[in-house]
Amino acid sequence: MSYPKQKFGVVVFPGSNCDHDAYYVLKSIFKQDTRFLWHKDSSLDGVDAVILPGGFSYGDYLRCGAIARFSPIMKEVTAFANDGGIVIGICNGFQVLCEAGLLPGALLRNECLTFICKFVDLRVENSETRFTSECKTGEVLHIPIAHGEGNYFADDDTLERLEKNGQILFRYCSPDGSITKESNPNGSSGNIAGIMNATGNVMGLMPHPERAADPLIGPIDGQKIFQSVIKSITKYEQANNYSIVERS
Amino acid sequence: MEPKVNLELALQHGLNEEEYANILTILGRVPTYTELGIFSVMWSEHCSYKNSISEIKKLPRSGPRLLVQAGEENAGLIDIGEGMAVAFKIESHNHPSAVEPYQGAATGVGGIMRDIFTMGARPIASLNSLRFGNIDNPRTKYLMKGIVKGIGDYGNSFGVPTIAGEIYFDDSYNENPIVNAMSVGIVKHSEIAKAIAKGVGNSVMIVGSATGRDGIHGATFASEEISEESEQKRPSVQVGDPFTEKLLLEATLEAIKTGYVIGIQDMGAAGITCSASEMSARGNSGMIINLNLVPVREEHMSSYEIMLSESQERMLLVIQPEHEDAIKSIFDKWELQCCRIGEVTNDGKIGIYYNTLQVADIPAYNLVLGGGAPVYYRESKKPEYIDELRKFDLNSLPEPNDYNDCLLRLLSSPNICSRRWVYMQYDRMVRTNTIINISGNAAVVRIKGSNKALAMKTDCNARYVYLNPYEGAKIAVAEAARNVVCVGAKPLAITNCLNFGNPYKPEIYWQFKETIRGISAACLALNTPVTGGNVSFYNENPDGAIFPTPVIGMIGEITDFRNYMSSDFKNNGDIVILLGKTTGHIGGSEYLKHIFNTTAGDAPHIDLAAEFRLQELVLELIGKDLLNSVHDLSEGGLAIALAESSIYACENNRSLGVKVLLPEDGRMDYSLFGEDQSRVLISANSNNLCKIKAIVDEYDIEFSIIGEVVTDQFSINNLINLKLAEIATLYNNTIEKNIIE
């Protein structure tokens, strides 16, 4: 299968360590035009979507993502997001997005107090988004997590708002799709694993879709998320082009 | 005010009378305090291998694929074709981990990673071999939590997957745990860096972290027995910073790619002292270093402290002066320090200056292993316990009434049950090269941009080595190779970490010599030369020595990584076959230990020629795509291998077990739980049976069809009949239940 080419930028903070993984999936599996964006850069190089990858930005010795949000590139990322650009934060990237205020809530330490690396099941809560259009609502994806601080927390009002607006994208679930305490690996409120902002262009998730996208090493459910994003940019551009044609 | 240097002070530094006299001769004068410190760390067991080198030289250390001689560089290097090489090494961090488990283990990982990337290789995988005391001992729980977290936190943040290893528990490790860390990296032949100083006038640069007072005399501390005073040595333990190491990795590889780096060595044990003297000695050159130029993180550090500091995340580089700016700009980009602290000379001496005074002036050659460092030939004597333990009458043991109960107890033995609680704390997938869902046997990492993959594993059943060091050491190598073979990889070479007690005790030294003999025999028979490694002596505590623990780290190659093999049963109806001969050897077994609380008898003996044939056979069967699962037999014997292949199938959402029928002659507990070597459990589609049998016959390996893969059932004769869910739950949750309570 081939996909139309889009421009992706993967931000490299000092201490990012899943930057190459996101790059590899986009470049080698999906054949997208992909580049790294250095944390000190002050331009996004005209990309269509930005990925904040996993890792331990600045060592995460302070609160995760608390320093990375002050990186020069984050000013550009914030402006890009506020302008409707697609931004995806994976794991540490999700933490950075919360610290930067681009997504609500915070990621606390895992309830069990240890780092957890394992495959989990995720229920797709809303497939009518730019990040999940290739999934079905209620579908279960098998994707790994690897974090010490992925326990999503938000106050009740926020949780209610997220729920009402369909901003909750993924919940930890059992293999049959039921939301249970046993299937919640880190103590997240409402088993939340991934959310988007109110305008639907910024997503953060703790699981690593880029680790479940290469059939040569294992499961590939993560591909659906990248496929959704690539298609959504394409459609978005086509729609924009179309309107230009109409106007002229 | 520096203390006055005399024999007494030298003795306090761990040097002996003869060594001190030797120093006086070399220098022709009384050493300065700084010089005494330098000699004491360089001549410590840890750096000089003075009590082991005469034996280590007997190991087979050559082969067509070795790119550097063992000990020549910071790690072993083997050719894997397509212009690529694998750098790999294992190293101990036992002593620091015993007094400060978290930092001790973390810096063990950091240290071995630097050994790999200082050669220009990007680390692709991390392994670790751990030994703890009795799992019911509160100290074991404390050490295990700290050590596992230390390994996890460092590797996870550094961004290299921790993918394999092994853990054993035995009372002999109660006070003195074993923490051996192994790292594996890939480098292009054209980008291999050397640990050498040459070219008079070239700049000596220190890069990475600033130097502090941490880790002073770490190398000397690692060369003593653990005692009640060890707690006071806590300041000898270094503190790790994986974030800085990650930056150092990226900056170092970028610097090496410029082609400007003439020589580079990481700073581990004995810090600047070791790097400066080893690099100089290798290049037949010398160095002058001005310690005032070394970035320090504490005020008023003395020359002695700066030279002996083991602060982590530092490297020493030699480059031409005109390339200083280019190299500096790379380290600037990664926000790391990069300072010129001296230059290369041709007088063969390490000249150290501080506050305009010369504080050390020592010929580099005299300091290093292979040069002037002492070499001792120790006395050895067969320990009495060996013959005593062999007298044990194994037939005196009662045969179990309830085999179900027996298997369940073995499945929950800490030495057999799943290590899930441990490995879930390790990021095993970062960099997306780890093949997912290969349980048991070895781990497999593909190499992006090629069809190749590497398989890797560490192994050592130290109870066997304790009972019979020669056979036990042979088995450690053979089992590591067999594990790699079971995933479809051809064993290439080993690294080893030899953990022993006090070498001055003749009984300990006998264990050591026998072990070397055993490793040599196995490496020759299996064509897996020794590329390097590490010796850790003095693993003792007031109650005695640890089991002799020669950990073997094996690397294997899969030419087309899509042909890897896993150990879980795949299909209902597949035929289950046992390759290799079962005699029911129970001496030294986990069955004997766990069910009868007895460590006795002789270790199993291994026929290396048969082992090699078995391994070649398994590779041919996998290569011809005739098998659906392959699993090595080890602790717990056939019954445990059958249970594991079933449990792993369940983990992959296939509820598959076995129905096995074995001939009932002799004691069934010995046939089921005995630990005869050179055995592998395979499963295959019945249509392939004739082809498999024909190939097996060519190799002269015993072949028995013992049963078939079935749904939802686990049964052996009419002795064992268990529910899959029951055995899986028990197997998976035992460690967690024991550690967290």
Side-chain angles (χ1 to χ4, degrees):
Chain A
M1 194 147 90
S2 74
Y3 298 89
K5 238 182 207 178
Q6 304 302 340
K7 258 171 104 175
F8 280 85
V10 179
V11 174
V12 183
F13 296 110
S16 292
N17 62 31
C18 305
D19 44 347
H20 286 268
D21 303 351
Y23 181 92
Y24 177 78
V25 166
L26 289 164
K27 184 95 177 174
S28 299
I29 308 274
F30 291 105
K31 315 288 180 203
Q32 298 297 302
D33 179 0
T34 312
R35 74 223 32 229
F36 288 117
L37 300 171
W38 187 240
H39 65 109
K40 287 180 187 164
D41 288 351
S42 49
S43 146
L44 297 184
D45 212 8
V47 298
D48 300 307
V50 173
I51 303 221
L52 304 186
F56 291 74
S57 52
Y58 295 90
D60 280 344
Y61 293 126
L62 199 61
R63 235 169 33 242
C64 298
I67 298 183
R69 64 162 287 213
F70 292 109
S71 276
I73 193 114
M74 282 309 291
K75 221 180 253 172
E76 302 306 314
V77 172
T78 305
F80 179 71
N82 290 337
D83 206 26
I86 288 212
V87 178
I88 300 168
I90 302 170
C91 198
N92 193 221
F94 186 10
Q95 294 161 343
V96 175
L97 289 175
C98 289
E99 285 290 335
L102 287 170
L103 288 173
L107 282 316
L108 312 180
R109 257 184 101 186
N110 294 347
E111 213 169 44
C112 62
L113 302 180
T114 57
F115 187 93
I116 311 169
C117 174
K118 67 171 185 181
F119 267 84
V120 295
D121 292 305
L122 300 175
R123 190 172 79 187
V124 178
E125 299 293 292
N126 178 0
S127 64
E128 321 255 296
T129 79
R130 303 182 71 178
F131 307 102
T132 54
S133 61
E134 294 297 294
C135 313
K136 295 187 186 71
T137 299
E139 181 180 353
V140 175
L141 304 179
H142 198 54
I143 291 178
I145 54 168
H147 58 246
E149 291 168 51
N151 177 355
Y152 183 76
F153 176 83
D155 59 57
D156 290 344
D157 290 349
T158 307
L159 290 173
E160 201 178 312
R161 201 174 63 243
L162 289 172
E163 181 78 58
K164 212 172 68 198
N165 294 345
Q167 287 173 250
I168 299 172
L169 302 186
F170 306 105
R171 280 193 160 98
Y172 301 109
C173 66
S174 59
D176 68 359
S178 32
I179 307 299
T180 60
K181 190 172 186 313
E182 293 70 41
S183 56
N184 185 345
N186 52 26
S188 290
S189 310
N191 284 38
I192 290 172
I195 57 169
M196 65 177 184
N197 64 351
T199 44
N201 62 311
V202 177
M203 168 177 73
L205 76 172
M206 287 314 293
H208 286 269
E210 81 281 16
R211 295 185 182 192
D214 184 349
L216 293 175
I217 59 165
I220 54 164
D221 285 357
Q223 283 197 358
K224 292 189 176 170
I225 295 171
F226 294 105
Q227 282 165 356
S228 304
V229 173
I230 293 165
K231 282 208 173 170
S232 101
I233 301 171
T234 313
K235 274 195 217 146
Y236 187 78
E237 282 189 351
Q238 279 168 350
N240 277 353
N241 287 340
Y242 184 67
S243 64
I244 290 164
V245 173
E246 279 235 308
R247 257 185 266 136
S248 65
Chain B
M1 184 62 186
E2 288 185 346
K4 187 174 158 52
V5 176
N6 52 30
L7 175 61
E8 195 187 338
L9 190 66
L11 295 176
Q12 283 168 18
H13 274 70
L15 294 160
N16 64 30
E17 210 166 319
E18 184 192 348
E19 286 164 353
Y20 182 64
N22 200 353
I23 293 169
L24 296 180
T25 314
I26 289 167
L27 297 177
R29 57 179 166 78
V30 174
T32 66
Y33 182 54
T34 302
E35 286 173 331
L36 183 71
I38 290 173
F39 272 105
S40 76
V41 288
M42 289 305 293
W43 287 6
S44 70
E45 189 67 54
H46 190 80
C47 291
S48 73
Y49 292 77
K50 58 190 170 188
N51 286 305
S52 61
I53 190 67
S54 62
E55 287 297 317
I56 288 172
K57 280 187 170 164
K58 296 176 184 168
L59 292 168
R61 293 171 300 158
S62 58
R65 299 180 90 165
L66 260 60
L67 297 175
V68 296
Q69 280 288 311
E72 192 177 291
E73 292 288 340
N74 284 288
L77 197 61
I78 47 175
D79 185 18
I80 52 165
E82 298 176 27
M84 290 181 296
V86 180
F88 69 112
K89 193 183 180 190
I90 190 165
E91 215 164 57
S92 65
H93 239 219
N94 308 340
H95 284 70
S97 305
V99 296
E100 172 39 50
Y102 179 81
Q103 290 296 348
T107 53
V109 174
I112 196 66
M113 291 293 175
R114 282 195 303 282
D115 276 336
I116 300 305
F117 69 80
T118 191
M119 298 182 74
R122 178 174 284 279
I124 58 161
S126 169
L127 300 85
N128 52 77
S129 178
L130 309 177
R131 300 291 181 279
F132 297 105
N134 193 316
I135 199 167
D136 298 324
N137 186 336
R139 177 167 159 81
T140 298
K141 298 174 208 268
Y142 157 75
L143 287 173
M144 191 166 171
K145 279 185 195 164
I147 285 167
V148 168
K149 188 166 168 51
I151 291 170
D153 282 1
Y154 204 100
N156 297 346
S157 172
F158 185 57
V160 170
T162 305
I163 56 168
E166 12 85 64
I167 302 173
Y168 286 90
F169 300 86
D170 187 272
D171 289 352
S172 80
Y173 305 104
N174 272 346
E175 295 302 317
N176 196 133
I178 297 287
V179 177
N180 292 176
M182 172 168 163
S183 175
V184 181
I186 299 281
V187 57
K188 286 187 193 152
H189 286 212
S190 56
E191 288 169 5
I192 295 169
K194 297 209 164 294
I196 195 167
K198 59 182 183 185
V200 177
N202 280 341
S203 305
V204 176
M205 318 282 288
I206 191 166
V207 304
S209 288
T211 300
R213 287 194 171 94
D214 50 332
I216 291 173
H217 272 301
T220 316
F221 165 51
S223 308
E224 307 170 346
E225 291 179 20
I226 301 262
S227 64
E228 288 182 3
E229 286 82 55
S230 296
E231 199 56 24
Q232 297 165 8
K233 297 284 170 76
R234 201 183 288 267
S236 289
V237 180
Q238 314 86 333
V239 179
D241 175 2
F243 169 61
T244 301
E245 178 124 322
K246 165 75 174 162
L247 303 181
L248 187 61
L249 161 74
E250 300 299 341
T252 301
L253 293 185
E254 211 172 307
I256 291 171
K257 277 198 172 74
T258 61
Y260 294 155
V261 176
I262 294 165
I264 177 168
Q265 180 161 329
D266 77 297
M267 276 176 244
I272 300 178
T273 295
C274 187
S275 305
S277 46
E278 289 189 353
M279 290 176 79
S280 299
R282 280 193 200 99
N284 287 319
S285 57
M287 267 183 206
I288 50 171
I289 290 176
N290 179 356
L291 295 182
N292 293 93
L293 300 174
V294 174
V296 289
R297 60 169 88 125
E298 289 169 73
E299 280 180 52
H300 309 302
M301 283 182 72
S302 68
S303 57
Y304 178 97
E305 289 170 327
I306 297 173
M307 286 303 286
L308 267 56
S309 162
E310 292 187 8
S311 288
Q312 299 286 291
E313 293 92 24
R314 300 179 299 161
M315 296 270 193
L316 203 65
L317 266 70
V318 171
I319 54 171
Q320 288 178 9
E322 58 266 37
H323 296 143
E324 266 181 39
D325 288 344
I327 295 294
K328 267 190 181 153
S329 71
I330 292 171
F331 286 90
D332 278 351
K333 173 184 156 194
W334 292 98
E335 294 177 6
L336 291 170
Q337 304 190 71
C338 173
C339 302
R340 184 181 190 279
I341 59 167
E343 63 182 59
V344 178
T345 62
N346 63 359
D347 64 1
K349 285 180 166 181
I350 301 298
I352 307 295
Y353 294 82
Y354 196 44
N355 298 335
T356 70
L357 292 173
Q358 182 160 25
V359 292
D361 183 29
I362 310 174
Y365 177 85
N366 289 104
L367 289 171
V368 301
L369 161 70
V375 175
Y376 298 132
Y377 300 85
R378 296 253 76 85
E379 187 192 338
S380 77
K381 179 169 164 261
K382 185 176 173 183
E384 282 170 9
Y385 75 83
I386 290 195
D387 290 330
E388 272 310 305
L389 291 175
R390 283 192 201 162
K391 282 183 199 153
F392 184 82
D393 179 11
L394 295 166
N395 290 316
S396 66
L397 301 168
E399 197 173 336
N401 298 322
D402 184 346
Y403 276 80
N404 280 328
D405 175 62
C406 210
L407 179 64
L408 291 175
R409 282 171 68 191
L410 272 179
L411 277 171
S412 58
S413 152
N415 287 335
I416 286 177
C417 68
S418 169
R419 274 74 185 105
R420 200 164 70 155
W421 178 82
V422 174
Y423 66 68
M424 286 227 303
Q425 299 184 51
Y426 301 153
D427 190 337
R428 308 180 299 285
M429 309 167 195
V430 60
R431 296 197 81 83
T432 57
N433 293 320
T434 314
I435 307 293
I436 310 290
N437 287 344
I438 295 195
S439 307
N441 300 327
V444 178
V445 179
R446 59 107 175 252
I447 299 171
K448 283 194 183 115
S450 110
N451 285 332
K452 283 179 194 291
L454 295 176
M456 49 198 83
K457 182 70 169 74
T458 63
D459 265 307
C460 175
N461 181 322
R463 194 186 299 135
Y464 295 167
V465 186
Y466 174 70
L467 294 170
N468 186 335
Y470 175 67
E471 289 296 330
K474 274 162 62 182
I475 291 172
V477 177
E479 194 186 346
R482 202 184 312 130
N483 272 316
V484 159
V485 163
C486 285
V487 298
K490 186 175 174 48
L492 292 182
I494 72 159
T495 175
N496 59 40
C497 194
L498 308 173
N499 307 278
F500 286 78
N502 183 343
Y504 286 80
K505 296 179 181 166
E507 289 83 1
I508 298 288
Y509 211 69
W510 184 84
Q511 292 174 337
F512 183 69
K513 284 179 84 162
E514 285 291 288
T515 296
I516 295 285
R517 210 163 63 80
I519 293 174
S520 298
C523 286
L524 285 173
L526 303 176
N527 294 326
T528 54
V530 179
T531 60
N534 171 237
V535 179
S536 171
F537 281 135
Y538 304 99
N539 291 289
E540 301 222 2
N541 51 66
D543 295 332
I546 58 159
F547 277 171
T549 312
V551 175
I552 306 297
M554 179 72 70
I555 295 287
E557 177 187 35
I558 306 180
T559 342
D560 183 343
F561 84 89
R562 284 162 295 196
N563 294 339
Y564 69 84
M565 180 48 66
S566 59
S567 59
D568 51 325
F569 291 135
K570 303 295 186 314
N571 312 297
N572 187 17
D574 277 356
I575 304 294
V576 178
I577 299 162
L578 178 63
L579 298 174
K581 194 172 174 186
T582 301
T583 68
H585 186 97
I586 212 72
S589 66
E590 185 59 27
Y591 175 67
L592 191 56
K593 171 70 187 167
H594 193 67
I595 306 291
F596 298 99
N597 195 23
T598 301
T599 298
D602 193 359
H605 286 219
I606 183 167
D607 173 351
L608 290 169
E611 175 72 38
F612 187 65
R613 289 200 310 277
L614 173 78
Q615 295 187 8
E616 294 278 295
L617 164 63
V618 171
L619 286 177
E620 180 167 348
L621 294 173
I622 294 173
K624 292 197 165 146
D625 200 17
L626 293 170
L627 307 182
N628 288 334
S629 76
V630 178
H631 194 17
D632 163 52
L633 265 64
S634 58
E635 288 80 21
L638 176 61
I640 292 298
L642 288 164
E644 285 178 343
S645 287
S646 309
I647 293 165
Y648 300 152
C650 294
E651 280 168 14
N652 290 323
N653 297 320
R654 290 187 300 272
S655 187
L656 296 172
V658 281
K659 192 171 164 53
V660 164
L661 207 59
L662 297 169
E664 296 206 13
D665 46 358
R667 283 187 62 156
M668 286 308 284
D669 52 342
Y670 289 8
S671 322
L672 285 173
F673 308 122
E675 298 180 7
D676 295 295
Q677 291 301 298
S678 309
R679 294 186 300 162
V680 167
L681 184 72
I682 59 177
S683 72
N685 188 300
S686 56
N687 294 333
N688 290 333
L689 202 53
C690 292
K691 282 187 207 158
I692 293 171
K693 182 72 172 66
I695 297 171
V696 172
D697 286 344
E698 288 170 35
Y699 284 89
D700 187 23
I701 292 292
E702 203 153 311
F703 169 97
S704 348
I705 296 176
I706 58 169
E708 65 172 322
V709 176
V710 295
T711 320
D712 288 331
Q713 188 190 350
F714 186 85
S715 73
I716 301 176
N717 291 17
N718 56 0
L719 298 170
I720 292 175
N721 198 338
L722 290 163
K723 290 203 174 68
L724 287 176
E726 186 181 5
I727 61 174
T729 308
L730 194 64
Y731 181 81
N732 284 326
N733 299 334
T734 296
I735 294 245
E736 194 167 346
K737 234 171 52 194
N738 274 289
I739 294 298
I740 308 175
E741 56 191 26

